């Protein structure tokens, strides 16, 4: 697994100038014993070079293009201007900040909370500087009904979503002003039930192949929003049928159901595993969630102990 992660890290290398004067060297030697007392975690080869601080020299493949967070010095070397993770897409090299406010990108899967019901749209909080909006014509009607929206639908908006409802949607458009338009026309999107919401900095959730994932080994469904909001719940079932997702499944048809104690315990353990991963600065993926979940069981940690740093270290 370590070799695979090293290959995924790419060919970016970071050079840090530590300084060679005697005074700086003596000061570093004085604080070295104190630093050695700090608890540490085993380092994964290939991941450390991706982290940069302002002033770090980033050496990439010849012909790399400068992106955000990277400038070129007089000697021709590329230097980082912010703390973050070095990313490269084809020839483009840029730095992804460690923490920043989510700005939205077309196609992103997001989880949000309804804060206002308007005349023909809902205002949704997704962690951006401005509230996002979901138009009534951009939702999936219950029963997957395909028709034009009418004035009667506008009068029945509160039958679909009300204030404080948590929903999943997709970014349809990002306006020049920064306002984001959402759409939930897919059967995968809609009101979220039978679970718990976890809010994290958006940097911990990057674009993945699947953001709505059912962890079959755990019996839990996870929605990883690109805005850092994650929803952890029992696998969705069609109201009244007891059946899980099928070809005719629609998230708009899911209704609240009583969740048993065993499923609640698994939901809480997954939630705390996500928070524990974020506390260590690790990205949230289905694989990392399953790994943290199984490790907590193997080390005989209770669900609440995942949030206690001292107990995690002692295990």
């Amino acid at each position: 697994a370590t070799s695979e992660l090293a290959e995924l890290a790419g060919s970016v290398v970071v050079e840090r100038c530590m300084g060679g004067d005697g005074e700086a060297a003596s000061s570093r030697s004085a604080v070295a014993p104190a630093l050695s007392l700090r608890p540490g975690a085993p380092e994964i080869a290939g991941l450390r070079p991706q982290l940069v601080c302002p002033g770090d020299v980033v050496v990439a493949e010849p012909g790399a293009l400068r992106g955000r967070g990277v400038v070129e010095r007089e000697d021709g070397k590329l230097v980082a201007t912010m703390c973050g993770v070095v990313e490269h897409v084809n020839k483009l090299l840029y730095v992804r900040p460690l923490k920043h406010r989510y700005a939205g990108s077309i196609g992103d899967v997001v989880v949000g909370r309804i804060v206002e019901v308007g005349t023909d749209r809902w205002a949704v909080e997704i962690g951006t500087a401005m509230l996002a909006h979901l138009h009534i014509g951009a939702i999936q009607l219950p029963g997957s009904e395909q028709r034009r929206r009418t004035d009667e639908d506008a009068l029945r908006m509160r039958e679909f979503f009300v204030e404080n409802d948590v929903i999943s949607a997709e970014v349809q458009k990002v306006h020049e002003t920064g306002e984001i338009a959402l759409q939930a026309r897919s059967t995968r999107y809609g009101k979220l039930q039978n679970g718990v919401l976890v809010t994290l900095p958006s940097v911990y959730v990057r674009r993945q192949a699947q953001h709505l994932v059912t962890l079959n080994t755990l019996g839990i469904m996870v929605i990883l929003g690109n805005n850092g909001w994650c929803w952890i719940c029992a696998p969705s079932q069609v109201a009244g049928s007891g059946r899980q997702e099928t070809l005719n499944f629609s998230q708009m048809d899911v209704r609240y159901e009583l969740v048993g104690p065993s499923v609640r315990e698994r939901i809480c353990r997954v939630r705390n595993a996500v928070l524990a991963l974020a506390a260590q600065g690790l990205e949230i993926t289905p694989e990392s969630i399953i790994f943290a979940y199984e490790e907590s069981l193997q080390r005989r940690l209770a669900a609440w102990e995942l949030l206690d740093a001292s107990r995690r270290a002692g295990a």
Side-chain angles (χ1 to χ4, degrees):
T2 302
S3 61
E4 294 178 358
L5 289 174
E7 293 177 1
L8 292 175
S11 57
V12 176
V13 179
V14 177
E15 298 178 358
R16 287 188 170 82
C17 299
M18 302 301 294
D21 57 309
E23 182 179 351
S26 61
S27 63
R28 288 195 299 273
S29 61
V31 299
L35 293 177
S36 62
L37 297 178
R38 293 183 179 179
E43 183 175 314
I44 300 177
L47 294 186
R48 184 181 180 86
Q50 288 186 303
L51 299 176
V52 294
C53 297
D56 288 344
V57 178
V58 182
V59 182
E61 298 176 353
L65 302 177
R66 292 184 291 111
R68 178 185 180 188
V70 180
V71 296
E72 186 175 355
R73 285 193 324 200
E74 296 179 355
D75 56 4
K77 292 186 177 181
L78 300 181
V79 180
T81 61
M82 64 177 66
C83 292
V85 180
V86 177
E87 301 280 3
H88 48 100
V89 179
N90 297 330
K91 291 292 184 178
L92 178 63
L93 184 72
Y94 65 97
V95 176
R96 180 163 53 92
L98 291 179
K99 287 189 178 181
H100 60 90
R101 181 180 286 273
Y102 178 68
S105 180
I106 296 176
D108 282 355
V109 176
V110 297
V111 176
R113 187 187 300 274
I114 302 293
V115 296
E116 183 181 350
V117 181
T119 55
D120 60 351
R121 67 192 63 194
W122 294 270
V124 188
E125 171 61 45
I126 59 173
T128 51
M130 303 174 62
L131 294 177
H133 289 89
L134 176 64
H135 196 274
I136 189 173
I139 68 170
Q140 176 83 13
L141 294 176
S144 301
E145 187 177 358
Q146 301 292 334
R147 59 175 176 79
R148 292 176 60 89
R149 309 303 186 266
T150 63
D151 294 340
E152 183 180 352
D153 292 323
L155 296 176
R156 299 171 51 234
M157 287 183 59
R158 288 187 175 274
E159 296 182 11
F160 304 132
F161 305 124
V162 297
E163 290 86 349
N164 292 323
D165 280 351
V166 179
I167 66 170
S168 60
E170 182 178 308
V171 176
Q172 182 181 25
K173 185 177 182 180
V174 181
H175 299 277
E176 295 181 356
T177 59
E179 184 180 359
I180 294 178
L182 304 177
Q183 66 92 5
R185 296 189 182 93
S186 172
T187 57
R188 302 179 301 165
Y189 305 135
K191 184 177 178 180
L192 301 177
Q193 305 270 11
N194 311 320
V196 62
L197 178 66
V198 182
T199 57
L200 307 168
S202 59
V203 69
Y204 293 123
V205 183
R206 69 165 65 189
R207 279 199 171 190
Q208 305 171 30
Q210 294 291 335
H211 284 266
L212 293 85
V213 184
T214 299
L215 308 177
N216 294 323
T217 57
L218 310 182
I220 298 297
M221 181 178 178
V222 178
I223 301 178
L224 304 176
N226 286 112
N227 58 335
W229 293 28
C230 304
W231 182 260
I232 304 167
C233 62
S236 301
Q237 296 181 349
V238 179
S241 67
R243 293 181 289 103
Q244 296 186 2
E245 293 189 26
T246 62
L247 293 177
N248 298 324
F249 170 82
S250 174
Q251 185 66 36
M252 293 294 291
D253 295 329
V254 176
R255 296 293 180 266
Y256 172 77
E257 294 181 1
L258 182 62
V259 179
S262 61
V263 179
R264 290 192 182 192
E265 195 276 338
R266 294 200 300 272
I267 291 176
C268 291
R269 185 176 292 273
V270 171
R271 169 192 178 272
N272 293 349
V274 169
L275 293 175
L277 289 170
Q280 298 299 319
L282 301 175
E283 289 186 339
I284 309 302
T285 63
E287 293 77 14
S288 65
I289 294 174
I290 294 176
F291 176 80
Y293 185 99
E294 293 178 347
E295 280 293 312
S296 67
L297 292 178
Q298 183 177 353
R299 298 172 186 269
R300 298 182 180 180
L301 290 174
W304 66 270
E305 291 179 315
L306 287 170
L307 300 180
D308 192 323
S310 61
R311 291 182 179 272
R312 292 200 307 266

